[in-house]
Amino acid sequence: MVVPALSTLPDLPPFGLSRLVTEWGISPLPFVLTIWGVGLYLYGVWVLRRRGDSWPIGRTFAFVVVGMGSFYVATCSGLAAYDTTLVSVHMVQHMILSMLVPLSLALGAPVTLALRTLPHAPRRWLLAVLHSRVVKVLSFPPLTFLLYIVSPWALYFSGWYPASLHSDYVHEMMHVHLVLVGSLFFWPLMGIDPIPGRVAYPFRMLLIIMTLPFHAFLGTTIMGQTELLGGSWYPDLHNGPMGAWLPDPLTDQHLAGGILWGAGDLVGLAFFGVLFTQWVRASM
């Protein structure tokens, strides 16, 4: 597949934690999605408060600050600036977009908020969508689990990942894809909204536990690779103006695999804790 090449290879100063703050930029799609997502959510909360109804501050914090905030940080901060330069940085971004953002958005219960604030006609349309066959299929837990565990393998062991390095469009769509697939998996399991695909808590716990070995296996597989995931992209960067400070591409790739392995297990255990807390509360 031929993809439009980026106009120039990136030329950035040596990476460090301070660069996460100093290398901010504005990517059009994440910026628009963040503004609209936060704006519509806060408008819904304002509508509820204006008519005297309450809305938990924790849900607002989860959706606006943690969910949309993490999405914007992952796609517009120094993480985004270096995500095509260091595969280890990309992997941190990957974990945020595929796990932290979907969980936080689900805990914000935006569908419930919409159902409580929309006028009669739009509310009826939303209910029709929620009860449609398409949504029931897309929220079917075995299918969403399969999509969630297969997606990273398809990303890193096909032409998809190299294409995302050479094309801004493919790169942005990859970010959206990570959030969407994560949302399809986590929303019915851990969300509060009345959507299809919700199953008993023991089965939810089982699905979360089953994700742990898949993250570990993918991480160790990437750590054991002797071929670069991005093809010639990273060696080309090494031969450019950043070559003086860039780490060896294969060493950085092994670090990325370790990040996927370790962070995937840690975040998965955190999800397990959140789900267990929800189970206890539902039983009281």
PDB file of all heavy atoms in Angstrom, residues 28-54:
ATOM      1  N   PRO A  28      -5.080  18.873  14.628  1.00  0.00           N
ATOM      2  CA  PRO A  28      -6.474  19.296  14.374  1.00  0.00           C
ATOM      3  C   PRO A  28      -7.534  18.318  14.870  1.00  0.00           C
ATOM      4  O   PRO A  28      -8.471  18.717  15.568  1.00  0.00           O
ATOM      5  CB  PRO A  28      -6.524  19.451  12.849  1.00  0.00           C
ATOM      6  CG  PRO A  28      -5.109  19.732  12.460  1.00  0.00           C
ATOM      7  CD  PRO A  28      -4.259  18.944  13.405  1.00  0.00           C
ATOM      8  N   LEU A  29      -7.397  17.026  14.538  1.00  0.00           N
ATOM      9  CA  LEU A  29      -8.449  16.068  14.906  1.00  0.00           C
ATOM     10  C   LEU A  29      -8.561  15.890  16.418  1.00  0.00           C
ATOM     11  O   LEU A  29      -9.671  16.006  16.974  1.00  0.00           O
ATOM     12  CB  LEU A  29      -8.194  14.727  14.218  1.00  0.00           C
ATOM     13  CG  LEU A  29      -9.234  13.635  14.503  1.00  0.00           C
ATOM     14  CD1 LEU A  29     -10.625  14.080  14.053  1.00  0.00           C
ATOM     15  CD2 LEU A  29      -8.848  12.328  13.812  1.00  0.00           C
ATOM     16  N   PRO A  30      -7.465  15.614  17.148  1.00  0.00           N
ATOM     17  CA  PRO A  30      -7.602  15.512  18.612  1.00  0.00           C
ATOM     18  C   PRO A  30      -8.100  16.793  19.253  1.00  0.00           C
ATOM     19  O   PRO A  30      -8.882  16.748  20.215  1.00  0.00           O
ATOM     20  CB  PRO A  30      -6.175  15.181  19.077  1.00  0.00           C
ATOM     21  CG  PRO A  30      -5.517  14.578  17.898  1.00  0.00           C
ATOM     22  CD  PRO A  30      -6.109  15.256  16.710  1.00  0.00           C
ATOM     23  N   PHE A  31      -7.672  17.928  18.736  1.00  0.00           N
ATOM     24  CA  PHE A  31      -8.106  19.205  19.298  1.00  0.00           C
ATOM     25  C   PHE A  31      -9.616  19.381  19.162  1.00  0.00           C
ATOM     26  O   PHE A  31     -10.309  19.723  20.127  1.00  0.00           O
ATOM     27  CB  PHE A  31      -7.378  20.354  18.605  1.00  0.00           C
ATOM     28  CG  PHE A  31      -7.766  21.718  19.103  1.00  0.00           C
ATOM     29  CD1 PHE A  31      -7.280  22.201  20.308  1.00  0.00           C
ATOM     30  CD2 PHE A  31      -8.626  22.523  18.368  1.00  0.00           C
ATOM     31  CE1 PHE A  31      -7.638  23.458  20.788  1.00  0.00           C
ATOM     32  CE2 PHE A  31      -9.001  23.784  18.825  1.00  0.00           C
ATOM     33  CZ  PHE A  31      -8.509  24.248  20.034  1.00  0.00           C
ATOM     34  N   VAL A  32     -10.141  19.108  17.967  1.00  0.00           N
ATOM     35  CA  VAL A  32     -11.579  19.250  17.723  1.00  0.00           C
ATOM     36  C   VAL A  32     -12.366  18.252  18.567  1.00  0.00           C
ATOM     37  O   VAL A  32     -13.380  18.592  19.183  1.00  0.00           O
ATOM     38  CB  VAL A  32     -11.886  19.075  16.225  1.00  0.00           C
ATOM     39  CG1 VAL A  32     -13.399  18.992  15.993  1.00  0.00           C
ATOM     40  CG2 VAL A  32     -11.296  20.224  15.422  1.00  0.00           C
ATOM     41  N   LEU A  33     -11.909  16.988  18.599  1.00  0.00           N
ATOM     42  CA  LEU A  33     -12.615  15.973  19.389  1.00  0.00           C
ATOM     43  C   LEU A  33     -12.625  16.328  20.871  1.00  0.00           C
ATOM     44  O   LEU A  33     -13.637  16.133  21.564  1.00  0.00           O
ATOM     45  CB  LEU A  33     -11.950  14.606  19.184  1.00  0.00           C
ATOM     46  CG  LEU A  33     -12.121  13.962  17.809  1.00  0.00           C
ATOM     47  CD1 LEU A  33     -11.342  12.657  17.732  1.00  0.00           C
ATOM     48  CD2 LEU A  33     -13.589  13.713  17.497  1.00  0.00           C
ATOM     49  N   THR A  34     -11.521  16.862  21.372  1.00  0.00           N
ATOM     50  CA  THR A  34     -11.452  17.229  22.786  1.00  0.00           C
ATOM     51  C   THR A  34     -12.394  18.390  23.101  1.00  0.00           C
ATOM     52  O   THR A  34     -13.131  18.355  24.096  1.00  0.00           O
ATOM     53  CB  THR A  34     -10.011  17.608  23.173  1.00  0.00           C
ATOM     54  OG1 THR A  34      -9.136  16.499  22.905  1.00  0.00           O
ATOM     55  CG2 THR A  34      -9.917  17.969  24.647  1.00  0.00           C
ATOM     56  N   ILE A  35     -12.367  19.425  22.262  1.00  0.00           N
ATOM     57  CA  ILE A  35     -13.224  20.587  22.488  1.00  0.00           C
ATOM     58  C   ILE A  35     -14.697  20.191  22.463  1.00  0.00           C
ATOM     59  O   ILE A  35     -15.483  20.571  23.355  1.00  0.00           O
ATOM     60  CB  ILE A  35     -12.940  21.683  21.444  1.00  0.00           C
ATOM     61  CG1 ILE A  35     -11.539  22.264  21.638  1.00  0.00           C
ATOM     62  CG2 ILE A  35     -13.985  22.786  21.527  1.00  0.00           C
ATOM     63  CD1 ILE A  35     -11.334  22.942  22.980  1.00  0.00           C
ATOM     64  N   TRP A  36     -15.089  19.418  21.463  1.00  0.00           N
ATOM     65  CA  TRP A  36     -16.482  19.013  21.356  1.00  0.00           C
ATOM     66  C   TRP A  36     -16.882  18.069  22.491  1.00  0.00           C
ATOM     67  O   TRP A  36     -17.965  18.202  23.080  1.00  0.00           O
ATOM     68  CB  TRP A  36     -16.749  18.355  20.005  1.00  0.00           C
ATOM     69  CG  TRP A  36     -17.064  19.344  18.938  1.00  0.00           C
ATOM     70  CD1 TRP A  36     -16.197  19.871  18.024  1.00  0.00           C
ATOM     71  CD2 TRP A  36     -18.337  19.941  18.675  1.00  0.00           C
ATOM     72  NE1 TRP A  36     -16.846  20.770  17.212  1.00  0.00           N
ATOM     73  CE2 TRP A  36     -18.154  20.831  17.573  1.00  0.00           C
ATOM     74  CE3 TRP A  36     -19.600  19.827  19.249  1.00  0.00           C
ATOM     75  CZ2 TRP A  36     -19.206  21.590  17.055  1.00  0.00           C
ATOM     76  CZ3 TRP A  36     -20.650  20.581  18.721  1.00  0.00           C
ATOM     77  CH2 TRP A  36     -20.439  21.449  17.646  1.00  0.00           C
ATOM     78  N   GLY A  37     -16.023  17.093  22.788  1.00  0.00           N
ATOM     79  CA  GLY A  37     -16.343  16.139  23.848  1.00  0.00           C
ATOM     80  C   GLY A  37     -16.503  16.806  25.193  1.00  0.00           C
ATOM     81  O   GLY A  37     -17.496  16.588  25.903  1.00  0.00           O
ATOM     82  N   VAL A  38     -15.532  17.650  25.567  1.00  0.00           N
ATOM     83  CA  VAL A  38     -15.600  18.347  26.848  1.00  0.00           C
ATOM     84  C   VAL A  38     -16.757  19.338  26.861  1.00  0.00           C
ATOM     85  O   VAL A  38     -17.502  19.431  27.848  1.00  0.00           O
ATOM     86  CB  VAL A  38     -14.266  19.061  27.132  1.00  0.00           C
ATOM     87  CG1 VAL A  38     -14.395  19.982  28.348  1.00  0.00           C
ATOM     88  CG2 VAL A  38     -13.153  18.044  27.355  1.00  0.00           C
ATOM     89  N   GLY A  39     -16.921  20.071  25.760  1.00  0.00           N
ATOM     90  CA  GLY A  39     -17.977  21.079  25.703  1.00  0.00           C
ATOM     91  C   GLY A  39     -19.363  20.484  25.841  1.00  0.00           C
ATOM     92  O   GLY A  39     -20.188  20.984  26.631  1.00  0.00           O
ATOM     93  N   LEU A  40     -19.653  19.421  25.102  1.00  0.00           N
ATOM     94  CA  LEU A  40     -20.979  18.805  25.174  1.00  0.00           C
ATOM     95  C   LEU A  40     -21.228  18.187  26.547  1.00  0.00           C
ATOM     96  O   LEU A  40     -22.342  18.270  27.082  1.00  0.00           O
ATOM     97  CB  LEU A  40     -21.115  17.739  24.082  1.00  0.00           C
ATOM     98  CG  LEU A  40     -21.209  18.263  22.646  1.00  0.00           C
ATOM     99  CD1 LEU A  40     -21.195  17.107  21.649  1.00  0.00           C
ATOM    100  CD2 LEU A  40     -22.479  19.097  22.459  1.00  0.00           C
ATOM    101  N   TYR A  41     -20.209  17.569  27.116  1.00  0.00           N
ATOM    102  CA  TYR A  41     -20.380  16.955  28.437  1.00  0.00           C
ATOM    103  C   TYR A  41     -20.679  18.016  29.488  1.00  0.00           C
ATOM    104  O   TYR A  41     -21.623  17.873  30.287  1.00  0.00           O
ATOM    105  CB  TYR A  41     -19.119  16.168  28.807  1.00  0.00           C
ATOM    106  CG  TYR A  41     -19.292  15.279  30.016  1.00  0.00           C
ATOM    107  CD1 TYR A  41     -19.633  13.930  29.873  1.00  0.00           C
ATOM    108  CD2 TYR A  41     -19.113  15.768  31.306  1.00  0.00           C
ATOM    109  CE1 TYR A  41     -19.792  13.108  30.973  1.00  0.00           C
ATOM    110  CE2 TYR A  41     -19.270  14.958  32.418  1.00  0.00           C
ATOM    111  CZ  TYR A  41     -19.609  13.623  32.249  1.00  0.00           C
ATOM    112  OH  TYR A  41     -19.767  12.814  33.349  1.00  0.00           O
ATOM    113  N   LEU A  42     -19.876  19.084  29.506  1.00  0.00           N
ATOM    114  CA  LEU A  42     -20.092  20.137  30.508  1.00  0.00           C
ATOM    115  C   LEU A  42     -21.421  20.853  30.285  1.00  0.00           C
ATOM    116  O   LEU A  42     -22.074  21.276  31.253  1.00  0.00           O
ATOM    117  CB  LEU A  42     -18.931  21.139  30.460  1.00  0.00           C
ATOM    118  CG  LEU A  42     -17.579  20.605  30.938  1.00  0.00           C
ATOM    119  CD1 LEU A  42     -16.517  21.693  30.828  1.00  0.00           C
ATOM    120  CD2 LEU A  42     -17.675  20.087  32.371  1.00  0.00           C
ATOM    121  N   TYR A  43     -21.854  20.960  29.027  1.00  0.00           N
ATOM    122  CA  TYR A  43     -23.166  21.552  28.764  1.00  0.00           C
ATOM    123  C   TYR A  43     -24.271  20.678  29.354  1.00  0.00           C
ATOM    124  O   TYR A  43     -25.243  21.180  29.947  1.00  0.00           O
ATOM    125  CB  TYR A  43     -23.376  21.723  27.266  1.00  0.00           C
ATOM    126  CG  TYR A  43     -24.745  22.254  26.910  1.00  0.00           C
ATOM    127  CD1 TYR A  43     -25.082  23.586  27.133  1.00  0.00           C
ATOM    128  CD2 TYR A  43     -25.717  21.405  26.359  1.00  0.00           C
ATOM    129  CE1 TYR A  43     -26.345  24.070  26.827  1.00  0.00           C
ATOM    130  CE2 TYR A  43     -26.980  21.880  26.040  1.00  0.00           C
ATOM    131  CZ  TYR A  43     -27.286  23.214  26.278  1.00  0.00           C
ATOM    132  OH  TYR A  43     -28.539  23.683  25.973  1.00  0.00           O
ATOM    133  N   GLY A  44     -24.133  19.354  29.204  1.00  0.00           N
ATOM    134  CA  GLY A  44     -25.115  18.453  29.792  1.00  0.00           C
ATOM    135  C   GLY A  44     -25.165  18.568  31.302  1.00  0.00           C
ATOM    136  O   GLY A  44     -26.247  18.576  31.902  1.00  0.00           O
ATOM    137  N   VAL A  45     -23.994  18.663  31.943  1.00  0.00           N
ATOM    138  CA  VAL A  45     -23.957  18.833  33.391  1.00  0.00           C
ATOM    139  C   VAL A  45     -24.623  20.149  33.791  1.00  0.00           C
ATOM    140  O   VAL A  45     -25.378  20.216  34.773  1.00  0.00           O
ATOM    141  CB  VAL A  45     -22.501  18.788  33.901  1.00  0.00           C
ATOM    142  CG1 VAL A  45     -22.440  19.120  35.389  1.00  0.00           C
ATOM    143  CG2 VAL A  45     -21.887  17.410  33.640  1.00  0.00           C
ATOM    144  N   TRP A  46     -24.366  21.198  33.012  1.00  0.00           N
ATOM    145  CA  TRP A  46     -24.973  22.504  33.300  1.00  0.00           C
ATOM    146  C   TRP A  46     -26.490  22.453  33.183  1.00  0.00           C
ATOM    147  O   TRP A  46     -27.206  23.039  34.003  1.00  0.00           O
ATOM    148  CB  TRP A  46     -24.404  23.548  32.341  1.00  0.00           C
ATOM    149  CG  TRP A  46     -25.018  24.909  32.502  1.00  0.00           C
ATOM    150  CD1 TRP A  46     -24.763  25.830  33.468  1.00  0.00           C
ATOM    151  CD2 TRP A  46     -26.023  25.485  31.659  1.00  0.00           C
ATOM    152  NE1 TRP A  46     -25.527  26.953  33.281  1.00  0.00           N
ATOM    153  CE2 TRP A  46     -26.319  26.774  32.172  1.00  0.00           C
ATOM    154  CE3 TRP A  46     -26.684  25.058  30.514  1.00  0.00           C
ATOM    155  CZ2 TRP A  46     -27.250  27.609  31.569  1.00  0.00           C
ATOM    156  CZ3 TRP A  46     -27.613  25.886  29.923  1.00  0.00           C
ATOM    157  CH2 TRP A  46     -27.896  27.154  30.453  1.00  0.00           C
ATOM    158  N   VAL A  47     -26.998  21.732  32.177  1.00  0.00           N
ATOM    159  CA  VAL A  47     -28.451  21.592  32.008  1.00  0.00           C
ATOM    160  C   VAL A  47     -29.061  20.905  33.223  1.00  0.00           C
ATOM    161  O   VAL A  47     -30.111  21.326  33.739  1.00  0.00           O
ATOM    162  CB  VAL A  47     -28.773  20.809  30.716  1.00  0.00           C
ATOM    163  CG1 VAL A  47     -30.258  20.428  30.666  1.00  0.00           C
ATOM    164  CG2 VAL A  47     -28.397  21.622  29.483  1.00  0.00           C
ATOM    165  N   LEU A  48     -28.400  19.834  33.704  1.00  0.00           N
ATOM    166  CA  LEU A  48     -28.909  19.144  34.884  1.00  0.00           C
ATOM    167  C   LEU A  48     -28.920  20.065  36.102  1.00  0.00           C
ATOM    168  O   LEU A  48     -29.913  20.133  36.845  1.00  0.00           O
ATOM    169  CB  LEU A  48     -28.049  17.911  35.185  1.00  0.00           C
ATOM    170  CG  LEU A  48     -28.301  16.656  34.359  1.00  0.00           C
ATOM    171  CD1 LEU A  48     -27.375  15.545  34.822  1.00  0.00           C
ATOM    172  CD2 LEU A  48     -29.745  16.198  34.470  1.00  0.00           C
ATOM    173  N   ARG A  49     -27.821  20.758  36.312  1.00  0.00           N
ATOM    174  CA  ARG A  49     -27.718  21.623  37.495  1.00  0.00           C
ATOM    175  C   ARG A  49     -28.719  22.771  37.419  1.00  0.00           C
ATOM    176  O   ARG A  49     -29.277  23.190  38.443  1.00  0.00           O
ATOM    177  CB  ARG A  49     -26.293  22.167  37.607  1.00  0.00           C
ATOM    178  CG  ARG A  49     -25.242  21.098  37.852  1.00  0.00           C
ATOM    179  CD  ARG A  49     -25.310  20.564  39.269  1.00  0.00           C
ATOM    180  NE  ARG A  49     -24.412  19.444  39.479  1.00  0.00           N
ATOM    181  CZ  ARG A  49     -23.122  19.565  39.759  1.00  0.00           C
ATOM    182  NH1 ARG A  49     -22.576  20.768  39.838  1.00  0.00           N
ATOM    183  NH2 ARG A  49     -22.387  18.487  39.963  1.00  0.00           N
ATOM    184  N   ARG A  50     -28.967  23.273  36.221  1.00  0.00           N
ATOM    185  CA  ARG A  50     -29.895  24.406  36.073  1.00  0.00           C
ATOM    186  C   ARG A  50     -31.309  24.016  36.463  1.00  0.00           C
ATOM    187  O   ARG A  50     -32.055  24.844  37.004  1.00  0.00           O
ATOM    188  CB  ARG A  50     -29.860  24.902  34.622  1.00  0.00           C
ATOM    189  CG  ARG A  50     -30.689  26.160  34.387  1.00  0.00           C
ATOM    190  CD  ARG A  50     -30.662  26.586  32.939  1.00  0.00           C
ATOM    191  NE  ARG A  50     -31.185  25.564  32.049  1.00  0.00           N
ATOM    192  CZ  ARG A  50     -31.348  25.724  30.732  1.00  0.00           C
ATOM    193  NH1 ARG A  50     -31.001  26.877  30.164  1.00  0.00           N
ATOM    194  NH2 ARG A  50     -31.835  24.759  29.989  1.00  0.00           N
ATOM    195  N   ARG A  51     -31.687  22.778  36.233  1.00  0.00           N
ATOM    196  CA  ARG A  51     -33.045  22.362  36.592  1.00  0.00           C
ATOM    197  C   ARG A  51     -33.104  21.726  37.981  1.00  0.00           C
ATOM    198  O   ARG A  51     -34.132  21.157  38.368  1.00  0.00           O
ATOM    199  CB  ARG A  51     -33.590  21.404  35.532  1.00  0.00           C
ATOM    200  CG  ARG A  51     -33.003  20.032  35.523  1.00  0.00           C
ATOM    201  CD  ARG A  51     -33.499  19.244  34.316  1.00  0.00           C
ATOM    202  NE  ARG A  51     -33.110  17.848  34.375  1.00  0.00           N
ATOM    203  CZ  ARG A  51     -33.093  17.037  33.309  1.00  0.00           C
ATOM    204  NH1 ARG A  51     -33.421  17.519  32.102  1.00  0.00           N
ATOM    205  NH2 ARG A  51     -32.751  15.775  33.444  1.00  0.00           N
ATOM    206  N   GLY A  52     -31.981  21.775  38.704  1.00  0.00           N
ATOM    207  CA  GLY A  52     -31.979  21.326  40.090  1.00  0.00           C
ATOM    208  C   GLY A  52     -31.598  19.880  40.305  1.00  0.00           C
ATOM    209  O   GLY A  52     -31.678  19.385  41.443  1.00  0.00           O
ATOM    210  N   ASP A  53     -31.169  19.184  39.252  1.00  0.00           N
ATOM    211  CA  ASP A  53     -30.742  17.790  39.395  1.00  0.00           C
ATOM    212  C   ASP A  53     -29.247  17.725  39.690  1.00  0.00           C
ATOM    213  O   ASP A  53     -28.486  18.625  39.328  1.00  0.00           O
ATOM    214  CB  ASP A  53     -31.046  16.997  38.126  1.00  0.00           C
ATOM    215  CG  ASP A  53     -32.533  16.857  37.885  1.00  0.00           C
ATOM    216  OD1 ASP A  53     -33.298  16.979  38.862  1.00  0.00           O
ATOM    217  OD2 ASP A  53     -32.934  16.642  36.720  1.00  0.00           O
ATOM    218  N   SER A  54     -28.844  16.659  40.344  1.00  0.00           N
ATOM    219  CA  SER A  54     -27.434  16.494  40.689  1.00  0.00           C
ATOM    220  C   SER A  54     -26.731  15.581  39.687  1.00  0.00           C
ATOM    221  O   SER A  54     -27.373  14.784  38.996  1.00  0.00           O
ATOM    222  CB  SER A  54     -27.292  15.916  42.097  1.00  0.00           C
ATOM    223  OG  SER A  54     -27.885  14.623  42.161  1.00  0.00           O
TER     224      SER A  54
END
